[in-house]
Amino acid sequence: MHMNDQLDQTADDSLRQSMDVDIACVGFGPAMGGFLTTLARGMSDESAPLESRAMPGMPPQVICYERADDIGFGVSGVVTKARGIRATFPDFDPAQIPLTAPVKKEKVLYLLDPIGASRRPALMKMADAAIKTFKAILPYYEDYAFRLPYIPPFLEKHGGYVMSIGQFNQWVGAQLMGSGMVQIWPGTPVNKALTEDGKVVGIRLADQGVDKQGKPDACFMPGMDIKAALTVIGDGPVGPVGRQLNSELGMPEGHHQREWAVGMKMVVDLPESCTLEPGTVIHTFGYPEPEIFGFMYIYPDRVASLGIFVPSWFDNPVRTTYRYLQHWMQHPALWKHLNGGRLRSWGAKTLQEAGRRGEPLLAGDGYARIGEGSGSTNVLTGSGVDEAWTTGVQLAEGVLEILKAGKPFTRENLEAAYVARRRASWVDEESKVAERARDGFGSGFIQGMIGMALAGFTGGRIAWPGNPLRPHERIPSIEEYYRGRISPQEIEAIRADCKARGAALHDALMEKAGWPAIQLDGQLLVSHQDALLMGGKVQAPAGYADHVAFTHPEICAKCAEQTCVEVCSAQAITARAGGGVPEFDREKCVHCGGCLWNCTKANPQDPEHAVLDFRAGAGGLHSAEN
């Protein structure tokens, strides 16, 4: 690699350095791990040596930039069939990676409501009553839960693994760095892609030495421009580079990214009384609210990864993932395993759940998209890690083909070498089956579950019809959501009290609606802020601009819901005492991105997006495990 002597003059008259590489990569996750692993192996093949165009006489120069301070940041437990991963590592040994075990037992639990506060449709209430009435003779009843006697094949993970993605990423990253063929630079956020007449020519790193508004401050250093023949974007569902390209280049006709979820997760030391064996997988649905799904995976050494997913079709304007997680853990079917356990790590992540319908343009002149942000997540099977990894492998195989042929990275060449591979793979075939699987949730929980079953059992040929809506079209007002449970006068009194204190509304509203207060035990049931302190450490380096921005403060100041406050995974966005635009504290932000897609106010210039923006930023949650 070499530094250009010439400096680029930016629009604000700053001098910006430039560096040439062959391939610039954005974001390090499973998709990028698959890409770099396959690419590094191909580049190290002495029988077919490849030469850098950026630095002749050397192998191709490949750099991956990751915004987080560590390539294994955050907490993310997963169960995966690992088809693509095992194809890359035929001798894969789970014992090499901490918190990894083969799947041995699976069960799906329908959780009844043990306290009577859940908003359940009439059909669910009838089903609950029947289960309770006949529980003495039901063979699958256990502790206010009904175990499904049959797990559909499309949901089974038999033969796969439970693992920590953080630990897996570290294992993959160590091998990559040891190969000497690629570089991974953590703690280096990418601000945007560099485009010229629809062609991506590289990336620009985030400016340093700026104030929270991004204006030059002491020790100002403009972000470097990294010029590359190929830019690989794998920055995840809320990554600023992927979203920039979606905005600038557009989405394929009929595609959009309107379906999301917040996954909030914990790693827990289980009590000695717990008898669940490593490799046990428990999935739940039905509680604390019907739309909320949960999971618990058992690792070796009596450790578990557990959590819930709060999806975009759950229309509570004051949805609070952390509070719902605490109620979920205390469900009798789960608490019997968890009572006496201790929080080890905690975190949250946004999931892009639009699947194939959220697939952007996968390739163009000078760029390619891989991973979750490229629409690889299978929304029927609830699987994304292996799919993401496989898309990275497919791109790397295509890139090696193009490099060996000495061809440029044009849209035509990338589509022939990468997109065609993806279209011919199991990833694409299964994404077609799942494409309409969740449409029914727009009409209701029952319709959504029926729709998933129809899609799964018919190979996607039949599904419940529906049209995913934008947040501002979908999320009701607080008064509408609580109609019949809390009067408008009571809501106004709660709002006035919370506004005066600068407090969120969710605790007061949930308790008014019948949810009991959480009895904290100081070990596993801890306050939201204690979870942030006990379960991880937020890295928020100085000198970068705030990555959460209220782009239309006049709209935010008048917002009655301020869902961004209610949904914030780490209470980094808080209500301003006395009212007004919410306050943001990046010293608490875990970069989950839930605020981005939960904002209920449409951007006047672009109704597909909201008035809150999630931009490039360094740091994030660094947990004890990862």
Side-chain angles (χ1 to χ4, degrees):
M1 300 164 207
H2 67 279
M3 190 76 67
N4 286 346
D5 293 328
Q6 183 179 2
L7 298 176
D8 294 329
Q9 191 79 11
T10 65
D12 60 358
D13 296 325
S14 297
L15 293 176
R16 195 176 298 275
Q17 293 181 325
S18 175
M19 181 172 74
D20 287 346
V21 302
D22 293 284
I23 301 176
C25 306
V26 184
F28 185 82
M32 199 62 72
F35 173 73
L36 294 176
T37 297
T38 307
L39 185 68
R41 289 178 179 178
M43 288 165 49
S44 62
D45 183 0
E46 296 181 359
S47 66
L50 298 171
E51 184 176 353
S52 169
R53 293 187 179 181
M55 192 173 184
M58 297 291 290
Q61 303 297 288
V62 183
I63 300 183
C64 176
Y65 296 95
E66 165 58 44
R67 66 152 184 85
D69 69 301
D70 189 291
I71 59 174
F73 93 106
V75 177
S76 187
V78 68
V79 59
T80 175
K81 289 184 177 180
R83 288 173 287 180
I85 293 171
R86 284 183 293 178
T88 301
F89 304 106
D91 300 321
F92 182 72
D93 180 5
Q96 294 181 3
I97 309 174
L99 305 181
T100 302
V103 174
K104 293 183 178 180
K105 293 183 178 180
E106 297 178 78
K107 63 179 177 179
V108 179
L109 297 178
Y110 168 64
L111 303 181
L112 282 68
D113 178 6
I115 61 176
S118 180
R119 290 175 58 97
R120 306 171 91 76
L123 191 58
M124 282 187 71
K125 291 179 180 179
M126 292 171 60
D128 291 357
I131 292 172
K132 293 174 183 178
T133 300
F134 299 104
K135 65 181 180 181
I137 60 173
L138 285 176
Y140 300 105
Y141 177 86
E142 52 181 83
D143 300 306
Y144 278 90
F146 180 76
R147 176 167 57 88
L148 270 61
Y150 169 74
I151 301 177
F154 55 86
L155 292 180
E156 283 185 333
K157 300 298 187 295
H158 181 72
Y161 298 93
V162 294
M163 61 172 60
S164 158
I165 291 303
Q167 296 289 349
F168 178 71
N169 283 349
Q170 288 183 336
W171 180 73
V172 172
Q175 296 182 69
L176 287 170
M177 295 299 284
S179 75
M181 304 305 296
V182 302
Q183 296 185 44
I184 305 173
W185 291 4
T188 313
V190 176
N191 182 47
K192 67 174 186 175
L194 298 173
T195 60
E196 296 178 359
D197 299 323
K199 178 180 180 180
V200 175
V201 297
I203 54 176
R204 175 168 293 172
L205 305 182
D207 292 343
Q208 298 182 53
V210 297
D211 63 17
K212 291 184 177 182
Q213 287 71 47
K215 298 178 181 178
D217 205 345
C219 303
F220 173 63
M221 183 171 69
M224 183 183 293
D225 283 349
I226 310 298
K227 301 295 182 65
L230 175 65
T231 299
V232 179
I233 298 105
D235 59 352
V238 297
V241 179
R243 289 188 295 108
Q244 171 205 350
L245 293 184
N246 291 349
S247 178
E248 289 188 11
L249 305 179
M251 296 278 286
E253 186 177 355
H255 287 212
H256 49 71
Q257 296 182 348
R258 299 176 184 173
E259 295 161 286
W260 304 80
V262 165
M264 184 168 285
K265 312 171 183 186
M266 289 183 174
V267 175
V268 172
D269 286 316
L270 295 168
E272 292 186 7
S273 59
C274 181
T275 58
L276 296 174
E277 64 176 312
T280 298
V281 174
I282 300 173
H283 284 288
T284 75
F285 67 101
Y287 181 84
E289 297 287 6
E291 298 88 349
I292 295 176
F293 294 79
F295 69 90
M296 183 158 64
Y297 311 139
I298 308 302
Y299 297 143
D301 302 319
R302 201 178 283 114
V303 177
S305 176
L306 55 89
I308 61 172
F309 300 103
V310 177
S312 55
W313 57 78
F314 174 44
D315 287 340
N316 184 347
V318 289
R319 62 186 82 178
T320 164
T321 310
Y322 189 77
R323 177 73 181 262
Y324 281 123
L325 174 61
Q326 291 182 313
H327 288 296
W328 176 83
M329 287 192 298
Q330 291 182 86
H331 189 281
L334 303 170
W335 193 239
K336 64 183 180 183
H337 303 301
L338 297 173
N339 190 11
R342 181 179 292 273
L343 174 64
R344 190 164 170 169
S345 292
W346 168 87
K349 178 189 181 297
T350 276
L351 301 166
Q352 217 297 81
E353 301 228 316
R356 186 181 181 86
R357 188 176 290 141
E359 183 184 283
L361 297 171
L362 293 178
D365 291 333
Y367 79 91
R369 306 280 298 271
I370 58 176
E372 190 177 0
S374 76
S376 63
T377 300
N378 188 306
V379 298
L380 175 62
T381 64
S383 177
V385 170
D386 202 31
E387 286 81 357
W389 178 276
T390 303
T391 64
V393 171
Q394 292 163 349
L395 175 61
E397 292 171 345
V399 166
L400 289 168
E401 180 182 301
I402 291 171
L403 287 172
K404 290 175 182 178
K407 297 179 179 179
F409 291 109
T410 62
R411 177 181 61 82
E412 291 80 8
N413 290 338
L414 286 166
E415 286 185 345
Y418 163 49
V419 180
R421 273 183 168 84
R422 183 158 166 173
R423 293 289 180 246
S425 71
W426 61 267
V427 173
D428 196 76
E429 181 182 350
E430 293 180 7
S431 75
K432 292 177 183 176
V433 174
E435 184 171 2
R436 297 182 296 147
R438 293 191 177 179
D439 286 0
F441 283 106
S443 302
F445 173 74
I446 301 295
Q447 295 90 325
M449 295 300 291
I450 293 173
M452 288 186 66
L454 287 173
F457 286 114
T458 67
R461 290 184 292 274
I462 302 175
W464 196 284
N467 179 34
L469 301 176
R470 305 175 182 93
H472 68 271
E473 298 169 328
R474 183 188 67 244
I475 300 177
S477 68
I478 295 172
E479 287 77 7
E480 289 172 322
Y481 181 79
Y482 283 107
R483 181 176 291 134
R485 304 188 78 184
I486 307 176
S487 71
Q489 294 77 17
E490 291 172 314
I491 290 173
E492 188 54 38
I494 291 172
R495 184 182 281 121
D497 175 64
C498 291
K499 182 177 179 180
R501 295 185 289 112
L505 296 169
H506 52 254
D507 281 336
L509 288 170
M510 286 184 70
E511 287 165 23
K512 189 69 177 177
W515 292 96
I518 303 296
Q519 300 302 312
L520 305 180
D521 61 15
Q523 292 190 147
L524 187 54
L525 297 177
V526 299
S527 73
H528 202 157
Q529 287 304 300
D530 280 346
L532 193 63
L533 296 171
M534 295 168 59
K537 180 182 179 183
V538 170
Q539 306 286 348
Y544 288 99
D546 276 352
H547 51 278
V548 170
F550 303 97
T551 61
H552 292 72
E554 70 284 358
I555 296 177
C556 297
K558 298 177 181 178
C559 178
E561 290 79 38
Q562 295 198 334
T563 305
C564 59
V565 172
E566 308 300 331
V567 78
C568 183
S569 293
Q571 296 183 333
I573 302 177
T574 54
R576 188 180 297 271
V581 180
E583 298 183 281
F584 173 65
D585 181 359
R586 70 177 182 213
E587 299 292 333
K588 296 180 179 180
C589 181
V590 299
H591 288 251
C592 78
C595 54
L596 174 70
W597 56 269
N598 276 288
C599 177
T600 61
K601 298 296 179 282
N603 189 313
Q605 284 75 45
D606 181 7
E608 193 66 37
H609 299 96
V611 296
L612 184 148
D613 195 15
F614 198 85
R615 300 171 176 173
L621 185 71
H622 186 86
S623 78
E625 309 305 324
N626 303 299

